[in-house]
Amino acid sequence: MLLKPKLPINRISICFAVLLFAVSGVRAPAEDGYRLWMRYDTLADANAQAWRSSINTVVIPGDSPTMRAILAELVPALSGLLGKSIAASANNTLADGTLVVGTPSTSSAIASLQLRDALAKVGDEGFLIRSEKIDGRSVTVIAASTELGALYGAFHFLRLVQTQPASGNLNISEKPRFLFRLLNHWDNLDGSIERGYAGQSLWKWNELPGTIDPRLTDYARASASLGINGAVLNNVNADAKSLTPEYLRKAAAIADVFRPYGVRVYLVPRFSAPIEIDGLETADPLDPKVAAWWKAKTDEIYKLIPDFGGYLVKANSEGQPGPMTYGRTHADGANMLAAAVARYGGIVMWRAFIYDPVPGSDRAAEAYNTLKPFDGKFAPNVILQVKNGPVDFMPREPFHPIFGSMPHTQVMPEVQITQEYLGHSNSIAFLATMWREFLDSDTYAKGPGSTVTRVVDGRLYGQTLTAIAGVANTGDDRNWTGHHLAQANWFAYGRLAWNPDMSAREIADEWTEMTLTHDRKSVDEIVRLLLESREAVVNYEMPLGLAHLMDNPHYGPGPWGYPVARPDWSPVYYHRAANDGIGFDRTATGTNAVAQYHEPLRSRYADLSTCPDDMLLWFHHVPWTYKMRSGRTLWDELCLRYQRGVDWTGDARKRWDALAGIIDAERHTAVARKLVIQQRDAKWWRDAGLLYFQTFSKQPFPADVDQPTRTLDEVKALDDYGHPQKAKK
């Protein structure tokens, strides 16, 4: 019996459009980036024919929302990719070329394969993809223990079709390495997004729950295609209103859309919510009335959202209230909330982004100093959410010393997908290389090989709750991320959250083929651009371990500083440029923050002769005339790094221009325009940095560095985005 797929009402037109454009051979009227990596246009290369001959029918028994979602994805996707109509069936009558998807409980064909042991090894979210013979028929099987695993397997299979040669002997076993794989959305209730560079919030809070944007389904599809299984809906700088009945109903409406795709919702509570919502006299976590309030509020949430994931908390940081407001500890606050959600299997993610404006302190050392004494004192369902670096998502930082230093506490990385310090949505900065560098960092916590990956995936200390979070770069711009190539960072985060051992090159290759082109020469060129891009931005923004050199909107340069409420928000606090040199001394002669790292890393960073060049000015205050490994002075090396970054942007423009005719005109033009802005910004950063630092170094620019065309005063007079304005006071 052939079935007409039962699609959710807001998916019918989308799937039909994909199928129409693919099967009829008519191209979509615009390549505006909306489809992300889920572009199911007909494959034209030699591999397509082999896939075409191996898949004729899709058999997906079951009528749950998740099984319908699988059917809704696979039928139009395979019809489009293979350029032929793919039939859909719910019975177990198999023919050669059948793709069977499901679980042993939904499919008798899958049950007949006796896969219990193999499925047990991949767990609830894993899957198997196999070429099998059933009743003498050659079929392909996507099998899982749960429907969600089957959904992930379906998306993995589509990725294979899009990027890999067909094989008649598939034998794939996959499971995620992290139990929780989340996107953190810093979305405000008024629709704005803190550090968002792609438009307004996707959630459209003002329309919920009565009107639900169909785009929410496509967000859930995109997340599920990468195995992302959680979304924190609101900003870490939380508004207490997010926990009021009005907004909980809105969150429940979002959860209803996400549920078939396995994306659970989480909320950020404002720690003072008991006071602000219901007028309690205190929010002291050890006050029984406060604990009772949080238990009642959590009960209210779970009645509306039965699969609610739990809380993400920012407390006693940058003005946010927290347990220390009441003389309590971070463990007191986290454990009080953990008790409220534990009854439902929920978790609390407690952010380690904690620092105080203490005179003479080192912001990079404060989170460790504050939290290390509480190792082993957090509840079993608390996970400490730690930024990849000890300051704040800088273009390059050493890994956070908390990783590997709290063996009795569950820790999870927080990385930033949105490019707060890397050119916003105007620059190419492929962050898989940054995250690969971070995950591969050796903490030496239990000797060589104690990488950050082994710390956070549970292998080093045996933590049972494993997780990773990424601060999302999505908004309601038509292309989702503001820059077409920034989609690669959403994709890369999801792929690394599933498998933190994937190489940046492998991820870039997959994304490029799925999103832009299958032309092998062009794929190689785009992959090379992506892999080089983040290092280029580091070179022209914050080279040699410098950090926090930006102006107030965190976009353009401002190494001279600007009015701030506290010294550790000013660039001069970090670079410490003076006539005798530049850099922050974190060795024993300075703040001794280097002591937070394990040996031999501690000694390697502390010794000027062995500290890597890329971390040099992070850990050392270095004379301008210091002789670098290159044989150049520090000043000359700094100048050349800035120039190298600028030169890359010019070269990138030429290389992208050469792809005209390969990449569709709409997206090619859009990226080309962004590259013009990036090149302008790179020159702005170089001129600002070198002209300002030259006032201390008193050294001439090397011959192979372009001379600035503006004076330092003229550069300072530019506005926050590089445009001329009246001079700043």
Side-chain angles (χ1 to χ4, degrees):
M1 177 180 69
L2 295 181
L3 297 179
K4 180 179 180 180
K6 295 182 179 180
L7 305 182
I9 187 67
N10 59 1
R11 291 287 299 119
I12 293 177
S13 59
I14 296 172
C15 289
F16 178 75
V18 172
L19 183 60
L20 172 66
F21 291 131
V23 175
S24 67
V26 178
R27 292 188 62 81
E31 286 286 2
D32 55 16
Y34 183 84
R35 293 184 293 167
L36 299 163
W37 46 88
M38 299 179 293
R39 299 173 70 251
Y40 301 139
D41 297 335
T42 303
L43 296 170
D45 59 17
N47 293 326
Q49 183 55 44
W51 284 113
R52 205 169 285 129
S53 62
S54 64
I55 304 295
N56 298 310
T57 305
V58 174
V59 172
I60 307 178
D63 194 38
S64 71
T66 297
M67 297 309 289
R68 292 201 301 272
I70 295 171
L71 185 65
E73 197 73 36
L74 280 177
V75 171
L78 290 173
S79 297
L81 289 167
L82 304 182
K84 67 178 186 178
S85 180
I86 298 294
S89 173
N91 63 33
N92 287 296
T93 302
L94 306 181
D96 287 332
T98 299
L99 174 64
V100 186
V101 186
T103 71
S105 61
T106 63
S107 168
S108 59
I110 291 175
S112 71
L113 295 174
Q114 300 296 312
L115 298 173
R116 177 188 298 179
D117 291 344
L119 289 175
K121 289 180 180 178
V122 298
D124 287 346
E125 292 184 296
F127 55 84
L128 310 174
I129 301 177
R130 293 187 175 184
S131 301
E132 295 282 359
K133 283 279 189 179
I134 300 179
D135 296 332
R137 307 296 186 183
S138 296
V139 301
T140 303
V141 172
I142 301 175
S145 296
T146 66
E147 293 179 353
L148 180 57
L151 176 70
Y152 293 151
F155 278 116
H156 188 91
F157 182 75
L158 290 175
R159 187 160 51 244
L160 290 178
V161 175
Q162 288 174 282
T163 63
Q164 300 293 325
S167 170
N169 189 29
L170 292 169
N171 187 12
I172 296 169
S173 299
E174 286 269 345
K175 66 176 181 179
R177 289 268 286 284
F178 296 110
L179 184 59
F180 302 99
R181 306 171 300 280
L182 300 104
L183 289 171
N184 290 181
H185 291 270
W186 289 359
D187 292 27
N188 298 312
L189 303 186
D190 65 2
S192 64
I193 304 174
E194 184 171 344
R195 310 307 177 192
Y197 313 110
Q200 295 289 98
S201 172
L202 291 167
W203 315 144
K204 299 188 183 301
W205 291 108
N206 62 318
E207 298 179 3
L208 292 167
T211 301
I212 299 173
D213 190 337
R215 189 166 184 169
L216 295 186
T217 299
D218 287 323
Y219 166 87
R221 288 175 56 231
S223 294
S225 76
L226 303 172
I228 291 169
N229 64 1
V232 181
L233 299 182
N234 59 313
N235 192 354
V236 290
N237 294 316
D239 186 330
K241 287 193 302 183
S242 63
L243 295 184
T244 60
E246 176 189 3
Y247 279 90
L248 292 180
R249 287 192 293 272
K250 295 173 186 287
I254 297 173
D256 290 343
V257 177
F258 290 178
R259 190 168 293 112
Y261 294 91
V263 181
R264 300 173 72 180
V265 302
Y266 299 73
L267 291 172
V268 180
R270 184 168 169 84
F271 202 81
S272 54
I275 300 172
E276 297 178 47
I277 293 177
D278 281 326
L280 271 67
E281 294 181 357
T282 181
D284 182 347
L286 297 190
D287 187 313
K289 292 181 181 179
V290 173
W293 187 94
W294 281 107
K295 287 183 178 180
K297 179 58 65 176
T298 301
D299 290 341
E300 180 185 353
I301 294 173
Y302 276 98
K303 285 179 182 177
L304 291 167
I305 310 172
D307 57 349
F308 178 64
Y311 297 126
L312 168 66
V313 185
K314 177 178 180 179
N316 291 121
S317 175
E318 299 183 325
Q320 286 294 305
M324 296 179 71
T325 308
Y326 307 96
R328 309 304 185 185
T329 70
H330 286 279
D332 291 333
N335 294 344
M336 181 268 294
L337 290 172
V341 298
R343 299 163 295 154
Y344 300 96
I347 63 171
V348 169
M349 295 164 286
W350 193 266
R351 293 182 89 229
F353 186 55
I354 300 163
Y355 62 99
D356 294 313
V358 179
S361 67
D362 182 352
R363 174 173 162 183
E366 290 189 47
Y368 177 102
N369 290 337
T370 301
L371 294 167
K372 176 76 164 96
F374 299 103
D375 186 28
K377 293 181 168 50
F378 290 95
N381 60 328
V382 172
I383 313 177
L384 205 58
Q385 183 166 306
V386 186
K387 291 188 179 186
N388 59 282
V391 171
D392 188 16
F393 301 131
M394 293 292 106
R396 171 168 282 126
E397 298 184 48
F399 70 88
H400 203 301
I402 282 179
F403 294 110
S405 296
M406 296 183 69
H408 306 295
T409 300
Q410 299 179 122
V411 296
M412 61 183 287
E414 178 184 354
V415 299
Q416 192 178 54
I417 309 168
T418 191
Q419 294 171 217
E420 179 179 356
Y421 299 106
L422 288 139
H424 295 187
S425 63
N426 284 331
S427 295
I428 305 172
F430 183 54
L431 301 182
T433 55
M434 173 192 285
W435 302 329
R436 182 78 274 136
E437 182 179 295
F438 160 65
L439 291 166
D440 289 341
S441 294
D442 199 336
T443 70
Y444 293 96
K446 294 179 72 173
S450 302
T451 62
V452 170
T453 300
R454 290 178 60 85
V455 172
V456 298
D457 71 5
R459 286 180 291 168
L460 197 68
Y461 293 127
Q463 72 178 61
T464 56
L465 298 184
T466 58
I468 188 169
V471 181
N473 65 343
T474 51
D476 68 356
D477 280 4
R478 182 66 183 172
N479 69 10
W480 298 88
T481 58
H483 191 311
H484 287 282
L485 300 192
Q487 294 178 1
N489 289 330
W490 183 6
F491 182 89
Y493 167 75
R495 296 296 283 136
L496 284 170
W498 183 274
N499 177 7
D501 291 332
M502 285 190 74
S503 73
R505 179 175 296 277
E506 183 180 2
I507 294 168
D509 199 285
E510 277 187 353
W511 178 82
T512 303
E513 281 211 63
M514 296 173 73
T515 310
L516 292 174
T517 180
H518 292 286
D519 177 72
R520 189 65 250 171
K521 183 177 179 182
S522 300
V523 168
D524 290 343
E525 183 59 38
I526 295 167
V527 167
R528 187 160 70 96
L529 278 172
L530 291 173
L531 294 177
E532 295 169 353
S533 59
R534 177 256 181 159
E535 192 66 32
V537 178
V538 170
N539 279 334
Y540 66 72
E541 285 195 0
M542 303 179 193
L544 298 178
L546 288 172
H548 215 282
L549 301 183
M550 70 289 164
D551 205 342
N552 193 32
H554 297 183
Y555 183 76
W560 40 82
Y562 48 86
V564 292
R566 45 196 290 179
D568 52 2
W569 289 350
S570 173
V572 297
Y573 171 92
Y574 296 91
H575 64 67
R576 310 208 165 189
N579 292 339
D580 67 341
I582 185 173
F584 198 121
D585 184 0
R586 292 188 167 99
T587 70
T589 60
T591 67
N592 204 29
V594 71
Q596 295 178 343
Y597 293 91
H598 295 279
E599 289 289 10
L601 195 59
R602 178 188 309 162
S603 295
R604 186 180 306 159
Y605 283 154
D607 189 331
L608 190 59
S609 67
T610 58
C611 184
D613 286 354
D614 290 337
M615 289 290 112
L616 189 67
L617 302 182
W618 183 279
F619 288 106
H620 296 272
H621 188 81
V622 182
W624 296 108
T625 56
Y626 175 76
K627 187 65 67 71
M628 301 286 289
R629 293 182 180 87
S630 64
R632 293 184 283 267
T633 65
L634 170 66
W635 169 250
D636 284 356
E637 184 71 29
L638 185 65
C639 292
L640 289 169
R641 293 289 182 109
Y642 272 106
Q643 185 64 45
R644 191 180 301 167
V646 172
D647 291 345
W648 183 88
T649 61
D651 183 57
R653 287 185 62 189
K654 294 176 183 177
R655 288 153 61 187
W656 183 259
D657 287 346
L659 295 170
I662 301 295
I663 309 302
D664 59 276
E666 183 172 355
R667 289 185 296 173
H668 185 272
T669 299
V671 172
R673 288 172 177 164
K674 293 285 189 181
L675 281 167
V676 171
I677 298 172
Q678 186 169 357
Q679 185 181 37
R680 182 211 66 175
D681 288 350
K683 293 177 180 179
W684 177 27
W685 273 89
R686 177 200 61 198
D687 292 354
L690 294 186
L691 286 169
Y692 174 71
F693 292 136
Q694 190 183 46
T695 65
F696 300 102
S697 76
K698 314 298 184 185
Q699 301 290 311
F701 296 124
D704 41 2
V705 171
D706 294 340
Q707 300 298 306
T709 58
R710 292 173 289 203
T711 66
L712 179 58
D713 286 340
E714 288 172 333
V715 173
K716 286 183 176 182
L718 299 176
D719 71 10
D720 292 332
Y721 294 93
H723 305 115
Q725 64 162 10
K726 293 181 180 179
K728 298 179 183 178
K729 295 182 180 180

